[in-house]
């Protein structure tokens, strides 16, 4: 699948159509968050994502979604105190 490509899954006799769509998670190359839709309800499965743009990846498109009926995520880094520490060197330091 490609990002933003819709896959339609049909139930018996074409009823209860479900649409699954992958979106870039912005955390690592190939990282994906999933939007699962049926009729007017959306479920967003976003377990590992990054909302900030990094040097090598854009951030996720999470803010572009309307409020889903259910958001599935994790809290892996919730216990880490404080803000992320600044990086000890810059890209310029790598070039020298």
């Amino acid at each position: 699948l490609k990002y933003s490509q819709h896959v339609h899954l049909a139930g018996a006799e074409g009823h209860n159509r479900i649409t699954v769509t992958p979106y870039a998670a912005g955390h690592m190359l190939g990282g994906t968050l999933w939007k699962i839709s049926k009729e007017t309800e959306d479920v967003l499965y976003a377990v590992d994502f990054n909302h900030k743009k990094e040097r090598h990846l854009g951030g996720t498109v999470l803010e572009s979604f309307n409020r889903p009926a259910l958001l599935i995520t994790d809290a892996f880094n919730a216990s880490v105190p404080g803000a992320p520490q600044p990086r000890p060197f810059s890209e310029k330091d790598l070039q020298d």
Side-chain angles (χ1 to χ4, degrees), residues 54-55 85-96:
E54 298 286 338
R55 292 184 186 108
Q85 299 298 319
R87 297 183 187 199
F89 56 87
S90 68
E91 290 177 355
K92 184 169 176 18
D93 294 336
L94 292 174
Q95 294 174 355
D96 294 336

Side-chain angles (χ1 to χ4, degrees), residues 1-3 21-35 45-49 60:
L1 291 176
K2 296 180 181 178
Y3 291 133
T21 310
Y23 292 93
H27 177 70
M28 65 179 78
L29 291 174
T32 306
L33 56 96
W34 299 89
K35 179 180 175 186
Y45 181 80
V47 176
D48 200 4
F49 64 91
T60 188

Side-chain angles (χ1 to χ4, degrees), residues 41-74:
E41 300 292 324
D42 294 332
V43 173
L44 196 56
Y45 181 80
V47 176
D48 200 4
F49 64 91
N50 184 7
H51 67 282
K52 293 176 13 181
K53 182 177 191 258
E54 298 286 338
R55 292 184 186 108
H56 64 295
L57 291 172
T60 188
V61 294
L62 193 61
E63 68 277 354
S64 67
F65 294 108
N66 291 331
R67 186 174 180 168
L70 178 65
L71 172 63
I72 302 170
T73 188
D74 71 347

